[in-house]
Amino acid sequence: MIILETILPVFILIALGKFLTVKGILTEGGISCIKNLSVTVLLPVMAFDALIHGTFSSDSLILIGLEFFALFGAFFAGFLFKRCFDASISDYIPYAMTTYEGGLFGWALISILVGQNNMFYIVSMDIFSGVFGFTVMATGLKMINGEKLTKKEITLSIVKNPLIIATVLGFTGAAFGLGKIIDESAVSGLYEKITSFFIAPLSPLILISIGSGLVFDKEVLKKGLKLVSIRYLVQIVIALIAFAIIHFTIGINGVLFFTLAMYFACPTSFLISMYSQKKDAVEFTSALLSLQILVALVVFCLLSVLQMYQ
């Protein structure tokens, strides 16, 4: 029963998102607004709160280093597998192999698994996936589309990103013990109440928007099936290496295990669909993301069951 209490709400909200979209109640514009609200307001609040209550140490540097290893390892592996795909989509393979959609997917499920108070691990790591997405991925995908992204545009996309701003402020606050200062102050109750108003709606809204974008067309899904299989094989290798390094350095605990296991199962950054313009690429990325979301939800279910018996 406890397992159902964890898993069932997730699937109900995803199904609701698909139902509302099919019925025309939730439009493409509405979904866009939900995502923009999440990225520009709700996620930055969660990131800031998680970071100021975390402890930045040498352990954090190891995790961030592993994030770089995972991002670039999968990216360069993608170039090896380009030859396995049709020329119309082969250029997208390296970008589809790397990055993790933490903000608009993973954070919601990870917070359910380990709790909001234990989000420091993933927030401190995932921000670099976002930076990779807005630099390497965005530039590469625009070049595939025949566009050019100037250094100024790349810099501005990073500097103006609310999530990155919140992360920088969060790291700064953590360095000065801001979380402890707030918790021990007279305004601690007020701060907690305000942040809860921003954070509580985040998971439901993200899950509804995820459901709205799921694709179930067999022909479309076939296009992404091969790459999804290859991507997860690569991610399993990366995850095993990461866990081995963690075991022999900082040591692994339950929270860190469930956090990283769910994170490595996350889909490719949703940026890939935003920068895909050609018809073949649009269908391919839609199938890719839909299948990865389904795989990630299966992993979430398995981790939820495992968590109950640890």
Side-chain angles (χ1 to χ4, degrees), residues 55-64 250:
T55 303
F56 192 76
S57 63
S58 57
D59 292 357
S60 305
L61 292 176
I62 291 174
L63 293 175
I64 290 171
I250 63 180

Side-chain angles (χ1 to χ4, degrees), residues 146-183:
E147 303 175 43
K148 289 185 178 180
L149 195 64
T150 65
K151 292 181 180 179
K152 182 179 179 180
E153 289 175 324
I154 295 173
T155 303
L156 288 176
S157 70
I158 296 173
V159 173
K160 291 185 176 181
N161 187 293
L163 189 53
I164 293 178
I165 293 172
T167 301
V168 172
L169 292 176
F171 276 131
T172 304
F176 290 96
L178 181 59
K180 185 178 181 181
I181 293 172
I182 293 175
D183 292 343

